[in-house]
Amino acid sequence: DVVAMFGVDCRSMDTFSDGNMNIAMSSMFVPQPVMSLAVKPAETKMQNNFAKALTKFTKEDPTLRVKVDSETKETVLSGMGELHLEVYIERMKREYNVECISGQPNVNYKETIAARAEFDWLHKKQSGGSGQYAKVTGYIEPMTEEEIKELGKPNEFKNKCIGTNIPPEYYPSCEKGMNDAMHEGSLVGCEVEGIRVVLQDGASHAVDSSDMA
């Protein structure tokens, strides 16, 4: 028999029984989305209805996907084509009174380097009392995709210092400084990946050197 019911919290392809049968209908094939749009409510006060609409739509239509990009923080709506997505944007307006702003998702650009480069940097600052002093020398070089995958993180810090020109207690601060610098590249201000930083030597001052320096 074919029946209809309402008021049940479910999603497409869920199986219902009287509770005595341990069976499930095989799910239908759901193709991968072919188009994506970044969407957001036109006004902040519409955010709750916006979230409710997306939850309901994705339950009833398995070909509609929603995700929040972890880097751009955009809500990305993906589906089977432009018309498919436009229908749901129009439904949000008609059924939930949510005006949507839509457009192409932002691209998560990354920066890197193409060749090895040496560095010899002196940081010296005096403004009355204890100042700041630090000197680091070494080189940076690009990493291969295989090396990044094996390492499990996008950048690497290597300490190849010999002696105590840089006191050992400052090594963690050198690595933290490298990680902080990778958040914003010099080319377009995007995150930097695929770089190995090798610290070889440096210098310190008995009074003015510190973790901050």
Side-chain angles (χ1 to χ4, degrees):
D1 296 332
V2 176
V3 299
M5 56 184 178
F6 60 90
V8 179
D9 184 19
C10 64
R11 61 175 62 240
S12 291
M13 297 185 295
D14 281 355
T15 301
F16 292 89
S17 76
D18 60 4
N20 297 319
M21 294 185 296
N22 188 22
I23 62 172
M25 299 287 289
S26 59
S27 297
M28 68 179 186
F29 170 72
V30 179
Q32 291 297 314
V34 297
M35 183 176 177
S36 297
L37 284 177
V39 293
K40 64 179 181 179
E43 299 179 31
T44 307
K45 65 181 181 181
M46 299 176 178
Q47 189 66 47
N48 285 341
N49 280 352
F50 177 72
K52 287 178 183 177
L54 292 180
T55 300
K56 181 178 184 296
F57 295 159
T58 51
K59 276 187 175 182
E60 67 183 35
D61 184 354
T63 64
L64 185 72
R65 314 283 177 87
V66 177
K67 71 172 184 178
V68 177
D69 191 290
S70 60
E71 297 185 7
T72 65
K73 308 304 179 187
E74 289 181 322
T75 300
V76 180
L77 194 63
S78 302
M80 304 315 297
E82 185 176 0
L83 181 60
H84 185 209
L85 299 179
E86 285 178 352
V87 166
Y88 282 106
I89 291 172
E90 178 60 32
R91 281 188 61 187
M92 272 192 269
K93 180 180 178 181
R94 188 175 67 250
E95 298 175 22
Y96 290 87
N97 199 30
V98 176
E99 288 275 2
C100 278
I101 299 171
S102 61
Q104 292 299 317
N106 286 325
V107 177
N108 297 324
Y109 289 107
K110 303 292 184 184
E111 295 186 34
T112 190
I113 58 173
R116 171 173 161 155
E118 311 284 333
F119 63 83
D120 185 346
W121 180 259
L122 173 64
H123 172 65
K124 190 174 182 181
K125 187 176 181 181
Q126 192 72 42
S127 57
S130 296
Q132 293 186 18
Y133 183 93
K135 182 179 181 181
V136 289
T137 61
Y139 62 90
I140 59 175
E141 62 182 2
M143 297 169 61
T144 65
E145 290 186 11
E146 290 74 19
E147 288 174 324
I148 296 172
K149 188 174 181 181
E150 184 179 343
L151 187 64
K153 54 184 180 180
N155 300 298
E156 182 181 18
F157 175 82
K158 275 194 171 182
N159 177 16
K160 290 189 176 181
C161 290
I162 298 174
T164 58
N165 286 342
I166 298 178
E169 60 265 28
Y170 293 146
Y171 293 153
S173 296
C174 293
E175 183 173 3
K176 185 176 184 300
M178 178 211 77
N179 290 328
D180 289 345
M182 298 303 171
H183 292 315
E184 186 175 325
S186 60
L187 190 61
V188 291
C190 294
E191 192 173 347
V192 181
E193 292 187 354
I195 292 181
R196 179 182 293 111
V197 178
V198 180
L199 181 65
Q200 293 178 306
D201 201 0
S204 63
H205 187 277
V207 176
D208 293 343
S209 288
S210 64
D211 286 314
M212 180 62 70

